[in-house]
Amino acid sequence: DGWVVAYVPDGLELTRLSYFSKSTGEGQDGLWETPDIAMRFLKHVANEPNKTALGSINVSDAIVQVMQEAMKNKATVAKKARGGKGAASKDEESVNLGSDVSLFEYAQAGASDSTLAVDCAIEVVKQLQELAKRGEKVLFVVDQFNTLFGPSDMHEVTGPRSKKNIPARQLRFTKHLIEAIDATTDRDAKHVAVVDGAAGGQRRP
């Protein structure tokens, strides 16, 4: 019906089954990187029904440059790992993207590359919000939304025999998605969110 839909069929998938590491970027103290979680979200967005709308929007040159740099670095590591011998790996071949990259292609790239995934997923969410402000119909749908306010299945080691749980809201991408959904109540927000609670079936419009 003309909507761009970011659908998460299981909120729990944003809190579990991911490699995780501490965020090191500026202003990211206490947050964690979860590339597998971000890749799963991007696969939900970069699907066939969204292809036409997202394929018509190019991401900025600055974003493309960051992506290209990350891919080049990954290709360099791959080349060193094989000692500069043999056929080029897929990582090395994937460096040569065109200068114009659509939001659909960008989401696809992040969905298949763990080194890009978290930053890419956050940028896609931002772009969807901006897309809505430009008149497109954008809908976020998250089942089991309440699970994003509890613990994740990840733990930080705090001592030789101790560890503590990492709350879902400290996962950088998950935190950003929650904030984007909360932003639907902002006066200038044009995107829409429909969320479903946990097993209790609570709904939040």
PDB file of all heavy atoms in Angstrom, residues 108-133:
ATOM      1  N   GLN A 108      21.587  -3.439   2.241  1.00  0.00           N
ATOM      2  CA  GLN A 108      22.029  -4.773   1.842  1.00  0.00           C
ATOM      3  C   GLN A 108      23.490  -5.006   2.216  1.00  0.00           C
ATOM      4  O   GLN A 108      23.863  -6.090   2.668  1.00  0.00           O
ATOM      5  CB  GLN A 108      21.844  -4.965   0.341  1.00  0.00           C
ATOM      6  CG  GLN A 108      20.425  -5.292  -0.096  1.00  0.00           C
ATOM      7  CD  GLN A 108      20.366  -5.695  -1.542  1.00  0.00           C
ATOM      8  OE1 GLN A 108      20.976  -5.063  -2.406  1.00  0.00           O
ATOM      9  NE2 GLN A 108      19.639  -6.755  -1.831  1.00  0.00           N
ATOM     10  N   ALA A 109      24.325  -3.977   2.004  1.00  0.00           N
ATOM     11  CA  ALA A 109      25.750  -4.099   2.329  1.00  0.00           C
ATOM     12  C   ALA A 109      25.939  -4.351   3.819  1.00  0.00           C
ATOM     13  O   ALA A 109      26.707  -5.229   4.228  1.00  0.00           O
ATOM     14  CB  ALA A 109      26.498  -2.837   1.903  1.00  0.00           C
ATOM     15  N   GLY A 110      25.231  -3.610   4.653  1.00  0.00           N
ATOM     16  CA  GLY A 110      25.344  -3.799   6.087  1.00  0.00           C
ATOM     17  C   GLY A 110      24.781  -5.128   6.552  1.00  0.00           C
ATOM     18  O   GLY A 110      25.261  -5.709   7.526  1.00  0.00           O
ATOM     19  N   ALA A 111      23.774  -5.625   5.843  1.00  0.00           N
ATOM     20  CA  ALA A 111      23.145  -6.891   6.221  1.00  0.00           C
ATOM     21  C   ALA A 111      24.057  -8.079   5.990  1.00  0.00           C
ATOM     22  O   ALA A 111      23.805  -9.166   6.524  1.00  0.00           O
ATOM     23  CB  ALA A 111      21.848  -7.080   5.442  1.00  0.00           C
ATOM     24  N   SER A 112      25.107  -7.884   5.222  1.00  0.00           N
ATOM     25  CA  SER A 112      26.009  -9.001   4.912  1.00  0.00           C
ATOM     26  C   SER A 112      27.440  -8.750   5.376  1.00  0.00           C
ATOM     27  O   SER A 112      28.335  -9.529   5.065  1.00  0.00           O
ATOM     28  CB  SER A 112      26.006  -9.270   3.399  1.00  0.00           C
ATOM     29  OG  SER A 112      26.423  -8.121   2.684  1.00  0.00           O
ATOM     30  N   ASP A 113      27.654  -7.668   6.127  1.00  0.00           N
ATOM     31  CA  ASP A 113      29.015  -7.320   6.537  1.00  0.00           C
ATOM     32  C   ASP A 113      29.006  -6.870   7.995  1.00  0.00           C
ATOM     33  O   ASP A 113      28.507  -5.791   8.319  1.00  0.00           O
ATOM     34  CB  ASP A 113      29.557  -6.200   5.644  1.00  0.00           C
ATOM     35  CG  ASP A 113      31.046  -5.976   5.825  1.00  0.00           C
ATOM     36  OD1 ASP A 113      31.546  -6.164   6.953  1.00  0.00           O
ATOM     37  OD2 ASP A 113      31.718  -5.610   4.846  1.00  0.00           O
ATOM     38  N   SER A 114      29.548  -7.683   8.865  1.00  0.00           N
ATOM     39  CA  SER A 114      29.503  -7.392  10.295  1.00  0.00           C
ATOM     40  C   SER A 114      30.301  -6.147  10.675  1.00  0.00           C
ATOM     41  O   SER A 114      30.018  -5.523  11.693  1.00  0.00           O
ATOM     42  CB  SER A 114      30.020  -8.596  11.094  1.00  0.00           C
ATOM     43  OG  SER A 114      31.366  -8.891  10.742  1.00  0.00           O
ATOM     44  N   THR A 115      31.299  -5.776   9.857  1.00  0.00           N
ATOM     45  CA  THR A 115      32.092  -4.591  10.181  1.00  0.00           C
ATOM     46  C   THR A 115      31.326  -3.292   9.914  1.00  0.00           C
ATOM     47  O   THR A 115      31.661  -2.251  10.453  1.00  0.00           O
ATOM     48  CB  THR A 115      33.409  -4.569   9.383  1.00  0.00           C
ATOM     49  OG1 THR A 115      33.115  -4.490   7.984  1.00  0.00           O
ATOM     50  CG2 THR A 115      34.237  -5.815   9.661  1.00  0.00           C
ATOM     51  N   LEU A 116      30.305  -3.366   9.079  1.00  0.00           N
ATOM     52  CA  LEU A 116      29.497  -2.194   8.741  1.00  0.00           C
ATOM     53  C   LEU A 116      28.164  -2.169   9.466  1.00  0.00           C
ATOM     54  O   LEU A 116      27.519  -1.126   9.556  1.00  0.00           O
ATOM     55  CB  LEU A 116      29.208  -2.174   7.228  1.00  0.00           C
ATOM     56  CG  LEU A 116      30.374  -2.120   6.250  1.00  0.00           C
ATOM     57  CD1 LEU A 116      29.854  -2.312   4.836  1.00  0.00           C
ATOM     58  CD2 LEU A 116      31.114  -0.809   6.369  1.00  0.00           C
ATOM     59  N   ALA A 117      27.737  -3.325   9.974  1.00  0.00           N
ATOM     60  CA  ALA A 117      26.338  -3.540  10.311  1.00  0.00           C
ATOM     61  C   ALA A 117      25.753  -2.534  11.301  1.00  0.00           C
ATOM     62  O   ALA A 117      24.685  -1.961  11.049  1.00  0.00           O
ATOM     63  CB  ALA A 117      26.153  -4.961  10.848  1.00  0.00           C
ATOM     64  N   VAL A 118      26.403  -2.298  12.433  1.00  0.00           N
ATOM     65  CA  VAL A 118      25.796  -1.463  13.470  1.00  0.00           C
ATOM     66  C   VAL A 118      25.647  -0.027  13.000  1.00  0.00           C
ATOM     67  O   VAL A 118      24.555   0.562  13.085  1.00  0.00           O
ATOM     68  CB  VAL A 118      26.608  -1.523  14.784  1.00  0.00           C
ATOM     69  CG1 VAL A 118      26.015  -0.562  15.812  1.00  0.00           C
ATOM     70  CG2 VAL A 118      26.609  -2.942  15.352  1.00  0.00           C
ATOM     71  N   ASP A 119      26.722   0.556  12.487  1.00  0.00           N
ATOM     72  CA  ASP A 119      26.642   1.940  12.000  1.00  0.00           C
ATOM     73  C   ASP A 119      25.656   2.047  10.845  1.00  0.00           C
ATOM     74  O   ASP A 119      24.919   3.031  10.725  1.00  0.00           O
ATOM     75  CB  ASP A 119      28.019   2.433  11.553  1.00  0.00           C
ATOM     76  CG  ASP A 119      28.943   2.710  12.734  1.00  0.00           C
ATOM     77  OD1 ASP A 119      28.431   3.028  13.824  1.00  0.00           O
ATOM     78  OD2 ASP A 119      30.168   2.613  12.567  1.00  0.00           O
ATOM     79  N   CYS A 120      25.648   1.037   9.987  1.00  0.00           N
ATOM     80  CA  CYS A 120      24.735   1.034   8.851  1.00  0.00           C
ATOM     81  C   CYS A 120      23.284   0.971   9.320  1.00  0.00           C
ATOM     82  O   CYS A 120      22.432   1.721   8.835  1.00  0.00           O
ATOM     83  CB  CYS A 120      25.055  -0.146   7.941  1.00  0.00           C
ATOM     84  SG  CYS A 120      24.008  -0.239   6.479  1.00  0.00           S
ATOM     85  N   ALA A 121      22.983   0.100  10.266  1.00  0.00           N
ATOM     86  CA  ALA A 121      21.611  -0.044  10.750  1.00  0.00           C
ATOM     87  C   ALA A 121      21.124   1.245  11.410  1.00  0.00           C
ATOM     88  O   ALA A 121      19.973   1.656  11.215  1.00  0.00           O
ATOM     89  CB  ALA A 121      21.526  -1.209  11.735  1.00  0.00           C
ATOM     90  N   ILE A 122      21.987   1.883  12.186  1.00  0.00           N
ATOM     91  CA  ILE A 122      21.611   3.151  12.822  1.00  0.00           C
ATOM     92  C   ILE A 122      21.354   4.217  11.772  1.00  0.00           C
ATOM     93  O   ILE A 122      20.381   4.976  11.845  1.00  0.00           O
ATOM     94  CB  ILE A 122      22.702   3.592  13.819  1.00  0.00           C
ATOM     95  CG1 ILE A 122      22.703   2.665  15.029  1.00  0.00           C
ATOM     96  CG2 ILE A 122      22.488   5.042  14.259  1.00  0.00           C
ATOM     97  CD1 ILE A 122      23.839   2.910  16.002  1.00  0.00           C
ATOM     98  N   GLU A 123      22.205   4.267  10.752  1.00  0.00           N
ATOM     99  CA  GLU A 123      22.027   5.257   9.690  1.00  0.00           C
ATOM    100  C   GLU A 123      20.746   4.988   8.908  1.00  0.00           C
ATOM    101  O   GLU A 123      20.036   5.932   8.527  1.00  0.00           O
ATOM    102  CB  GLU A 123      23.232   5.235   8.744  1.00  0.00           C
ATOM    103  CG  GLU A 123      23.202   6.310   7.677  1.00  0.00           C
ATOM    104  CD  GLU A 123      23.203   7.725   8.244  1.00  0.00           C
ATOM    105  OE1 GLU A 123      23.842   7.960   9.291  1.00  0.00           O
ATOM    106  OE2 GLU A 123      22.547   8.587   7.629  1.00  0.00           O
ATOM    107  N   VAL A 124      20.431   3.730   8.668  1.00  0.00           N
ATOM    108  CA  VAL A 124      19.196   3.392   7.952  1.00  0.00           C
ATOM    109  C   VAL A 124      17.977   3.863   8.741  1.00  0.00           C
ATOM    110  O   VAL A 124      17.031   4.425   8.174  1.00  0.00           O
ATOM    111  CB  VAL A 124      19.125   1.879   7.671  1.00  0.00           C
ATOM    112  CG1 VAL A 124      17.713   1.463   7.260  1.00  0.00           C
ATOM    113  CG2 VAL A 124      20.113   1.504   6.572  1.00  0.00           C
ATOM    114  N   VAL A 125      17.982   3.660  10.062  1.00  0.00           N
ATOM    115  CA  VAL A 125      16.874   4.136  10.893  1.00  0.00           C
ATOM    116  C   VAL A 125      16.748   5.658  10.778  1.00  0.00           C
ATOM    117  O   VAL A 125      15.633   6.194  10.615  1.00  0.00           O
ATOM    118  CB  VAL A 125      17.066   3.718  12.357  1.00  0.00           C
ATOM    119  CG1 VAL A 125      16.039   4.410  13.259  1.00  0.00           C
ATOM    120  CG2 VAL A 125      16.937   2.204  12.500  1.00  0.00           C
ATOM    121  N   LYS A 126      17.877   6.357  10.839  1.00  0.00           N
ATOM    122  CA  LYS A 126      17.843   7.823  10.699  1.00  0.00           C
ATOM    123  C   LYS A 126      17.288   8.230   9.340  1.00  0.00           C
ATOM    124  O   LYS A 126      16.473   9.157   9.227  1.00  0.00           O
ATOM    125  CB  LYS A 126      19.258   8.396  10.875  1.00  0.00           C
ATOM    126  CG  LYS A 126      19.805   8.314  12.280  1.00  0.00           C
ATOM    127  CD  LYS A 126      21.222   8.879  12.314  1.00  0.00           C
ATOM    128  CE  LYS A 126      21.832   8.813  13.703  1.00  0.00           C
ATOM    129  NZ  LYS A 126      23.234   9.321  13.718  1.00  0.00           N
ATOM    130  N   GLN A 127      17.731   7.530   8.295  1.00  0.00           N
ATOM    131  CA  GLN A 127      17.285   7.854   6.948  1.00  0.00           C
ATOM    132  C   GLN A 127      15.789   7.591   6.783  1.00  0.00           C
ATOM    133  O   GLN A 127      15.089   8.339   6.083  1.00  0.00           O
ATOM    134  CB  GLN A 127      18.076   7.045   5.924  1.00  0.00           C
ATOM    135  CG  GLN A 127      19.546   7.425   5.808  1.00  0.00           C
ATOM    136  CD  GLN A 127      19.759   8.764   5.118  1.00  0.00           C
ATOM    137  OE1 GLN A 127      18.947   9.184   4.302  1.00  0.00           O
ATOM    138  NE2 GLN A 127      20.850   9.427   5.439  1.00  0.00           N
ATOM    139  N   LEU A 128      15.284   6.548   7.418  1.00  0.00           N
ATOM    140  CA  LEU A 128      13.853   6.271   7.349  1.00  0.00           C
ATOM    141  C   LEU A 128      13.050   7.379   8.024  1.00  0.00           C
ATOM    142  O   LEU A 128      11.988   7.784   7.539  1.00  0.00           O
ATOM    143  CB  LEU A 128      13.542   4.925   8.003  1.00  0.00           C
ATOM    144  CG  LEU A 128      14.042   3.681   7.261  1.00  0.00           C
ATOM    145  CD1 LEU A 128      13.716   2.419   8.066  1.00  0.00           C
ATOM    146  CD2 LEU A 128      13.438   3.578   5.869  1.00  0.00           C
ATOM    147  N   GLN A 129      13.571   7.887   9.140  1.00  0.00           N
ATOM    148  CA  GLN A 129      12.894   9.001   9.814  1.00  0.00           C
ATOM    149  C   GLN A 129      12.875  10.236   8.927  1.00  0.00           C
ATOM    150  O   GLN A 129      11.860  10.943   8.835  1.00  0.00           O
ATOM    151  CB  GLN A 129      13.587   9.297  11.144  1.00  0.00           C
ATOM    152  CG  GLN A 129      13.399   8.215  12.201  1.00  0.00           C
ATOM    153  CD  GLN A 129      14.139   8.516  13.479  1.00  0.00           C
ATOM    154  OE1 GLN A 129      15.246   8.048  13.706  1.00  0.00           O
ATOM    155  NE2 GLN A 129      13.529   9.310  14.340  1.00  0.00           N
ATOM    156  N   GLU A 130      14.004  10.513   8.264  1.00  0.00           N
ATOM    157  CA  GLU A 130      14.068  11.662   7.367  1.00  0.00           C
ATOM    158  C   GLU A 130      13.178  11.451   6.154  1.00  0.00           C
ATOM    159  O   GLU A 130      12.550  12.394   5.646  1.00  0.00           O
ATOM    160  CB  GLU A 130      15.516  11.904   6.925  1.00  0.00           C
ATOM    161  CG  GLU A 130      16.416  12.422   8.031  1.00  0.00           C
ATOM    162  CD  GLU A 130      15.903  13.735   8.611  1.00  0.00           C
ATOM    163  OE1 GLU A 130      15.518  14.625   7.815  1.00  0.00           O
ATOM    164  OE2 GLU A 130      15.862  13.863   9.846  1.00  0.00           O
ATOM    165  N   LEU A 131      13.113  10.230   5.687  1.00  0.00           N
ATOM    166  CA  LEU A 131      12.263   9.897   4.545  1.00  0.00           C
ATOM    167  C   LEU A 131      10.805  10.220   4.855  1.00  0.00           C
ATOM    168  O   LEU A 131      10.077  10.760   4.015  1.00  0.00           O
ATOM    169  CB  LEU A 131      12.433   8.415   4.213  1.00  0.00           C
ATOM    170  CG  LEU A 131      11.739   7.869   2.959  1.00  0.00           C
ATOM    171  CD1 LEU A 131      12.262   8.578   1.719  1.00  0.00           C
ATOM    172  CD2 LEU A 131      11.970   6.370   2.849  1.00  0.00           C
ATOM    173  N   ALA A 132      10.378   9.898   6.064  1.00  0.00           N
ATOM    174  CA  ALA A 132       9.008  10.186   6.478  1.00  0.00           C
ATOM    175  C   ALA A 132       8.744  11.687   6.484  1.00  0.00           C
ATOM    176  O   ALA A 132       7.674  12.150   6.065  1.00  0.00           O
ATOM    177  CB  ALA A 132       8.745   9.595   7.863  1.00  0.00           C
ATOM    178  N   LYS A 133       9.730  12.462   6.925  1.00  0.00           N
ATOM    179  CA  LYS A 133       9.561  13.918   6.974  1.00  0.00           C
ATOM    180  C   LYS A 133       9.448  14.519   5.579  1.00  0.00           C
ATOM    181  O   LYS A 133       8.910  15.613   5.413  1.00  0.00           O
ATOM    182  CB  LYS A 133      10.724  14.555   7.738  1.00  0.00           C
ATOM    183  CG  LYS A 133      10.714  14.240   9.230  1.00  0.00           C
ATOM    184  CD  LYS A 133      11.902  14.865   9.945  1.00  0.00           C
ATOM    185  CE  LYS A 133      11.890  14.516  11.433  1.00  0.00           C
ATOM    186  NZ  LYS A 133      13.045  15.095  12.150  1.00  0.00           N
TER     187      LYS A 133
END
